[in-house]
Amino acid sequence: MTAHPTAPRSRRERPAKPALTREGIIATTVELMRAEGLERVTMRRLAKELDTGPASLYVYVRNIAELHAAVLDELLGEVDLSPAGAGGDWHDRLVRILTSYTAVLFEYPGLAQSALVARPFGKHYLRLVEAMLTLLDEGGLESDRAAWLIDLLLQYGTATAAEHAHRVPGVIPQDQADWQALAAVVREVSPRTHPQIAALGPRLLSGSPQDRLAWGFDVLIAGARHTPVPEALSPSPADIGDPADIGD
């Protein structure tokens, strides 16, 4: 018998591709980021993973910055907000939430750098802000100061995580090498030319990263208690429709 060649398969018989959705795009981005790092997640790479063209993605996200903001919001779901409803000192509970927020970004250092400019506005971000405002209200902080303090606290936690964005497994982190070099310089500084540095010595570099992080949050919270916001406020970016209108 003569074998007949395999007949070409009709495209209609192939399983249909899942429909593109914003949620599916974000979920795929998170998977790629965890596997390859955020720097490898381009619109072209994401489109290839989703078996579509890059142009199709822009129907759901305007640009890579909006995608990063959406991914950040998705990961904010991992922040431990349970201290907001727990007992104990409100200040300590707020710092625990902020420490959890920073720890999440430590797991994704590339995203931490992007988070310095990305502006999430999804459900997880709103829950985080609500929990923080609830604790600040419990602590008696004036509402206008609390509204501004939220931004400072999250910026500080984000910047702390972003400092470690270039760690390579198995290699001494660059920031650690820099700290070691700085410590050597501080130990050898001349009391004659730099008396203050020589007097403080090891205190300048003392404390664990965790201690310094918590202390930084304490400073910001305490400072907000004694620093009122300006009475006359200029328009915020949210009040300006088109950036091109600025100065008109």
Side-chain angles (χ1 to χ4, degrees), residues 3 15 22 50 52 61-62 73 79 122 130 145 160 172 193 196 205 210 223 227:
R22 180 180 173 87
L50 292 167
T52 188
V61 289
R62 291 177 299 174
D73 184 75
V79 177
E130 182 69 18
R145 302 184 194 187
T160 300
I172 295 178
T193 57
Q196 296 295 331
L205 307 176
Q210 293 78 11
T227 310

Side-chain angles (χ1 to χ4, degrees), residues 50-69:
L50 292 167
D51 192 20
T52 188
S56 300
L57 302 181
Y58 291 104
V59 175
Y60 302 91
V61 289
R62 291 177 299 174
N63 48 46
I64 196 70
E66 181 178 314
L67 180 62
H68 286 181

Side-chain angles (χ1 to χ4, degrees), residues 118-174:
R119 299 188 181 279
F121 47 82
K123 62 181 181 180
H124 297 302
Y125 174 75
L126 294 178
R127 289 172 183 167
L128 171 62
V129 171
E130 182 69 18
M132 293 171 64
L133 288 174
T134 297
L135 289 172
L136 290 172
D137 180 65
E138 184 179 327
L141 190 68
E142 288 83 349
S143 58
D144 57 346
R145 302 184 194 187
W148 280 26
L149 178 59
I150 291 293
D151 191 41
L152 288 177
L153 292 171
L154 294 178
Q155 281 188 29
Y156 174 61
T158 302
T160 300
E163 285 182 335
H164 305 274
H166 298 293
R167 288 182 170 180
V168 178
V171 178
I172 295 178
Q174 183 60 46

Side-chain angles (χ1 to χ4, degrees), residues 13 15 46 50 59-60 71 85 104 110 114 131 147-148 150 159 163 175 186 213 216 224-225 228 234 238:
E13 297 175 5
L46 183 58
L50 292 167
V59 175
Y60 302 91
V71 169
V104 168
S114 177
W148 280 26
I150 291 293
E163 285 182 335
D175 60 335
V186 169
L213 177 67
R225 283 188 167 277
S234 302

Side-chain angles (χ1 to χ4, degrees), residues 21 30 49 80 85 92 141 166 173 175 214 242:
T21 63
V30 171
E49 189 71 17
D80 181 13
D92 292 341
L141 190 68
H166 298 293
D175 60 335
D242 186 348

